[in-house]
Amino acid sequence: MLQNEKTFSKLVTSATILSSALLISVAPASATTAFITGDSSAVSANDNLKSIGITPHAIGNTLTWDLKGNVVDPVNSFNVKSGYGNVKLYAKNTGTASFRVEVKYNGTSNKVIFNQTVENGKPAVEVINNNNNPSVPAGDYTVTIYGGSGLPKGEVVLKSSDTPW
């Protein structure tokens, strides 16, 4: 078999596995039935993805926060479960003034894992901390939006995952 034929064969195999994973993911009833009945021959979509080198994200906790533009420096909370130290921040500003998002660990270190300015009139901001620079300890965090009299308006989403983004 020629090198190009081998490569093509691997691509076809990967595409077949991926399409199987997609079919499984849109048929949750059968997957749930297999889980409930203990059918160990059933292969999960995650297993198919892992077999072709794609690691799916298991989401820990999510904070979706709609900023209404009616509170000065609003505060919220977020929790990172042990093993879910990969955190993604998405922030969109729909107001008239810039604001800053600070995500600070409530533990003894008071470590700030995000300190991101979100400018008005600019595209949304998406930043990632895959448990480094600084590390992301498990526990409770305080999320503060600093906008002062600009009354922050927009959306902030935080997600934690067991897999790097």
Side-chain angles (χ1 to χ4, degrees), residues 44-92:
S44 76
N46 283 349
D47 290 338
N48 280 338
L49 292 172
K50 288 177 183 176
S51 72
I52 59 173
I54 298 173
T55 306
H57 293 274
I59 304 299
N61 288 329
T62 299
L63 166 67
T64 302
W65 190 8
D66 187 24
L67 304 169
K68 305 281 187 190
N70 59 354
V71 177
V72 174
D73 299 340
V75 177
N76 209 328
S77 60
F78 182 67
N79 180 275
V80 174
K81 294 190 280 186
S82 181
Y84 289 79
N86 305 293
V87 181
K88 182 190 297 189
L89 166 68
Y90 169 88
K92 181 177 181 180

Side-chain angles (χ1 to χ4, degrees), residues 63 65 67 71-76 89-105 110-120 125 127 142-158:
L63 166 67
W65 190 8
L67 304 169
V71 177
V72 174
D73 299 340
V75 177
N76 209 328
L89 166 68
Y90 169 88
K92 181 177 181 180
N93 186 338
T94 58
T96 58
S98 298
F99 61 80
R100 183 170 55 90
V101 180
E102 180 186 82
V103 181
K104 184 167 78 170
Y105 180 58
N110 285 322
K111 188 181 300 190
V112 174
I113 63 165
F114 290 115
N115 185 7
Q116 190 68 44
T117 298
V118 186
E119 297 182 35
N120 62 312
V125 171
V127 290
T142 298
V143 183
T144 307
I145 310 299
Y146 294 102
S149 62
L151 297 175
K153 185 175 181 183
E155 181 182 29
V156 173
V157 178
L158 282 164

Side-chain angles (χ1 to χ4, degrees), residues 128-152:
I128 295 169
N129 184 331
N130 282 325
N131 202 15
N132 55 21
N133 294 328
S135 62
V136 179
D140 293 323
Y141 288 77
T142 298
V143 183
T144 307
I145 310 299
Y146 294 102
S149 62
L151 297 175

